[in-house]
Amino acid sequence: MNRLKRSLQPYFGDRKFYSSALAVMIPVAVQQLINSLFNMVDNLMVGSLDVMGLAMSAVSVANKPYMIFNGIFFGMTGGAGLMISQYYGAGEKKTCQGLFAMQMLLGVSASFLFFLLLRIVPRQIMGIFVTDEATIGLGISYLNVVSISYLPAAISSVCIFSMRSLGINRLPMAVSMCSMGVNAAANYVLIFGKFGAPALGVVGAAWGTLIARMVEMGVYLFALASKKGYFSLDLKAAFRLPGHIVATFVRKAIPLIINEVLWSVGLNVFFWCYARLDEASIPAISIGEVCNMFASVLAFGTSSAVSVLIGTELGAGRLREAKENCKKLLGLDMMIGATGALLSCVLALVLPNLYNLSPELRHTATLISFIMGVLCPFQFLYGFCFFCLRAGGDTRDAMLLDSGYLWVIPVPAALLMGMFLAGKLPLWTAVLIVQFLMYIKVIPALWILKKGKWIRNITEA
């Protein structure tokens, strides 16, 4: 018994460690929880427009390009973020500002390209996933408005992820509360035509998103212009970065960007598979994802703690402390994962019944939500391993483990089901197969983490 206790002791921290970890994690988790709550409210509002779920399907499909857009940002800000964390630990503020400015310039450019794409070929984008003309028409009307929101979303995303790299989480949390409140209020007024406004339906949801994104961007730009925070609007700092730092950013960011794009496209392949199997049940997938997002908010908090409690220690050259913090955070992550699984399973019983959908759709949504909930701890454990590799700059192994595995096993399985089992395989069974294949990779992830190759200081010449 004593031997078991000694072997588990490194995975538990003292009160000071948990206070530091929770101080970083809680604001991020609250921010993500707010996003999830208002996403749920959005879905409820849009879902109430018709019992067959056409409006919800249209919005779900129209938001698929944003997954790829967000993936690009997650990769870019991940590469810059791991460097910002380490250079922050090394006390090099000018380098951090240069990396922030470079992200901002790249982000604005990417948002403009996506805006053009969504305006030029919206029908083709919708047609990848669905064939119903009514759904495609609603999706095109949604994209015409929401495509404008990609620019403010880009600026806000750079600010959010850069601040998280330093453990600055209270401002993003407050901004999210403000913007999501604006989103819910605007949606209510514009979707249903309240207070004398026209009832715009799906287009009203797009306007609500755009208004909220503009408010969010406005707050961040004001904070940057005030020069009271760690970062500023000095975009010229990007051109003052030394060549070796830019080269390091390219080496670290490109694998992560490729990884996130492949990951996002892979998730869209899963969605394509589900739509092929049962297009009418797409709203059930959306509800299942909402249930899973409530648990995922906790995982986002853990990722932020990894950046601060591991990334900054590595940048400061305290490799032993970083390794010790990794073990303690792993123990905490497992406890949070179990809590997330319980929360997801409870929501699976309650949430589907809140939607104005047919009994068959609600039943399918409940089964899918349960599947995602039961597998939630594996999602947490794998995510922790991935963020540790990223914090140490081991982006190559992170990419091979993440999108490399995804495209070797789960994606081919989804393609085969979509091509040969359409109308023959229940949707919930396909979700179970895909989710199981997705998270058995936690075994090699833990092996790579234990090897410790990722424990390094990238700020050293």
Side-chain angles (χ1 to χ4, degrees):
M1 188 68 180
N2 289 333
R3 186 176 180 181
L4 176 63
K5 186 177 180 180
R6 285 195 300 270
S7 64
L8 293 177
Q9 189 174 2
Y11 296 92
F12 295 91
D14 54 19
R15 181 176 296 181
K16 181 180 179 181
F17 173 81
Y18 288 123
S19 296
S20 300
L22 292 175
V24 175
M25 294 168 64
I26 289 176
V28 176
V30 170
Q31 180 188 1
Q32 293 301 129
L33 178 60
I34 293 166
N35 290 340
S36 298
L37 284 171
F38 282 105
N39 284 336
M40 184 189 74
V41 172
D42 285 358
N43 281 336
L44 284 170
M45 290 182 186
V46 173
S48 67
L49 293 174
D50 64 277
V51 72
M52 298 304 296
L54 290 179
M56 188 186 296
S57 295
V59 173
S60 296
V61 174
N63 278 324
K64 291 306 169 185
Y66 188 78
M67 290 179 60
I68 299 175
F69 176 77
N70 195 49
I72 292 173
F73 268 84
F74 197 70
M76 180 185 70
T77 56
L82 70 90
M83 295 180 68
I84 288 174
S85 292
Q86 293 211 15
Y87 278 105
Y88 177 74
E92 298 189 26
K93 183 176 181 179
K94 289 183 179 179
T95 302
C96 293
Q97 174 61 36
L99 290 166
F100 174 81
M102 185 165 57
Q103 291 179 88
M104 193 69 77
L105 295 173
L106 293 172
V108 170
S109 301
S111 67
F112 182 69
L113 291 175
F114 269 81
F115 168 77
L116 291 178
L117 181 67
L118 296 176
R119 281 304 185 91
I120 295 171
V121 289
R123 175 171 290 275
Q124 289 82 347
I125 291 171
M126 293 293 298
I128 294 173
F129 301 99
V130 293
T131 58
D132 181 71
E133 281 298 322
T135 304
I136 291 174
L138 287 172
I140 291 173
S141 63
Y142 180 87
L143 282 174
N144 284 337
V145 176
V146 86
S147 59
I148 307 171
S149 71
Y150 279 58
L151 173 60
I155 293 172
S156 298
S157 294
V158 171
C159 294
I160 290 169
F161 287 110
S162 297
M163 290 178 180
R164 281 185 184 177
S165 299
L166 308 181
I168 303 172
N169 296 318
R170 292 185 180 180
L171 176 61
M173 180 182 70
V175 174
S176 288
M177 292 177 68
C178 174
S179 66
M180 292 303 107
V182 170
N183 187 20
N187 277 357
Y188 177 72
V189 172
L190 296 174
I191 291 175
F192 303 114
K194 301 297 182 180
F195 306 109
L200 300 177
V202 166
V203 177
W207 276 107
T209 298
L210 175 58
I211 293 169
R213 294 292 188 193
M214 294 297 291
V215 170
E216 187 178 48
M217 178 186 68
V219 175
Y220 282 119
L221 289 178
F222 178 80
L224 293 173
S226 69
K227 299 181 180 180
K228 294 181 180 179
Y230 192 82
F231 300 109
S232 70
L233 278 174
D234 179 18
L235 301 184
K236 293 181 180 180
F239 302 102
R240 296 193 293 266
L241 283 172
H244 73 276
I245 292 179
V246 176
T248 301
F249 169 76
V250 171
R251 289 198 306 272
K252 302 303 179 185
I254 285 181
L256 286 176
I257 292 173
I258 293 173
N259 176 70
E260 294 303 328
V261 171
L262 290 174
W263 176 266
S264 301
V265 174
L267 294 185
N268 281 323
V269 170
F270 297 158
F271 191 85
W272 170 86
C273 166
Y274 301 149
R276 289 271 297 178
L277 293 174
D278 188 357
E279 187 174 316
S281 295
I282 288 177
I285 295 292
S286 300
I287 294 171
E289 289 174 348
V290 170
C291 288
N292 187 247
M293 277 195 295
F294 275 89
S296 296
V297 301
L298 303 174
F300 271 97
T302 304
S303 70
S304 183
V306 168
S307 295
V308 175
L309 298 179
I310 295 179
T312 54
E313 294 288 357
L314 292 174
R318 296 188 288 267
L319 305 188
R320 183 175 63 83
E321 288 83 350
K323 188 174 182 179
E324 291 174 354
N325 286 347
C326 174
K327 291 182 178 180
K328 295 172 186 176
L329 283 173
L330 177 59
L332 181 60
D333 184 72
M334 293 178 68
M335 291 187 285
I336 294 174
T339 304
L342 179 61
L343 177 62
S344 294
C345 290
V346 171
L347 287 171
L349 294 173
V350 178
L351 198 58
N353 295 316
L354 300 179
Y355 288 83
N356 182 32
L357 299 174
S358 64
E360 293 79 10
L361 276 176
R362 285 200 295 267
H363 177 68
T364 303
T366 299
L367 289 175
I368 292 172
S369 301
F370 261 118
I371 291 168
M372 292 182 173
V374 170
L375 294 175
C376 184
F378 300 99
Q379 175 188 356
F380 273 62
L381 194 54
Y382 169 73
F384 176 80
C385 296
F386 176 82
F387 284 113
C388 284
L389 296 181
R390 200 180 75 170
D394 189 5
T395 55
R396 185 184 66 88
D397 282 342
M399 181 182 73
L400 293 175
L401 186 63
D402 208 38
S403 60
Y405 170 86
L406 181 78
W407 280 87
V408 170
I409 298 180
V411 166
L415 288 170
L416 290 173
M417 287 189 290
M419 288 187 292
F420 299 110
L421 298 176
K424 300 176 183 178
L425 187 70
L427 184 59
W428 68 267
T429 306
V431 172
L432 175 61
I433 293 171
V434 168
Q435 292 292 311
F436 175 77
L437 292 176
M438 282 273 285
Y439 292 116
I440 58 172
K441 64 181 176 182
V442 71
I443 298 172
L446 287 170
W447 178 74
I448 293 173
L449 186 72
K450 187 177 180 180
K451 283 177 62 180
K453 178 184 174 183
W454 57 275
I455 303 175
R456 55 190 173 188
N457 181 358
I458 65 172
T459 67
E460 294 178 344

